[in-house]
Amino acid sequence: MVVLISILSFLTVAFLIGAIDLATHRDEVHERLARLRHLGGNAPFDSSVLLQERSNVLSRFLARLGKRVDPSDPSVSSTRKRLIHAGYRRPGALQIYFGLRLALAVIVLSL
C-alpha cells in the first residue's frame, strides 16, 4: 500500500511539473513545431540535434529550480568554487547543480 501511494504521488508531482512547464513554455513548443513543419520530410534526421535540444530543455528546467537558492548563503560560494575546480565554469552551473539537488531530493522522498 505504501509503495502504491509513493508511486501515485510521484506520478502526480511529475504530471503537475510537466503541465506547468508546458503551460509556461507554450511559445517554445509552437516555435519548435513550426520548425519541424518547415523542414518537412525532406530533411535528414540528425539525432545529435535532438539530443542537444533535449539537454538544453533539461538544463533550463534545472536552472529554474536552482534559482530559488539564496546566493548570499556562505555555502553557495564554496559550492561554486568546487564546481569551478571540477570544470563546470558556465554561469548557470550553480543553478543547475542546486536544481538537480532539489529534483533528486523530491524524487527520493517520493519513493
Side-chain angles (χ1 to χ4, degrees):
M1 186 67 173
V2 174
V3 174
L4 181 63
I5 292 172
S6 298
I7 291 172
L8 287 176
S9 64
F10 172 74
L11 291 175
T12 303
V13 169
F15 176 75
L16 288 174
I17 289 173
I20 291 170
D21 189 48
L22 182 63
T24 58
H25 292 93
R26 185 170 296 270
D27 293 335
E28 291 178 17
V29 171
H30 286 291
E31 179 184 318
R32 226 180 278 153
L33 286 173
R35 275 189 284 151
L36 288 174
R37 282 190 203 113
H38 175 69
L39 290 176
N42 299 332
F45 179 72
D46 188 6
S47 63
S48 65
V49 172
L50 182 63
L51 182 62
Q52 180 67 29
E53 192 169 304
R54 286 185 180 172
S55 171
N56 288 339
V57 170
L58 180 63
S59 62
R60 282 194 309 256
F61 174 72
L62 291 174
R64 272 186 284 155
L65 282 178
K67 284 183 182 177
R68 304 190 192 300
V69 175
D70 183 23
S72 63
D73 189 16
S75 67
V76 172
S77 63
S78 66
T79 303
R80 183 157 188 76
K81 286 179 187 176
R82 286 183 183 176
L83 286 172
I84 289 172
H85 286 294
Y88 297 103
R89 292 176 174 87
R90 278 184 26 191
L94 188 65
Q95 286 85 17
I96 292 172
Y97 172 76
F98 282 116
L100 186 59
R101 278 184 61 182
L102 181 64
L104 287 175
V106 168
I107 290 171
V108 168
L109 289 176
S110 70
L111 297 177

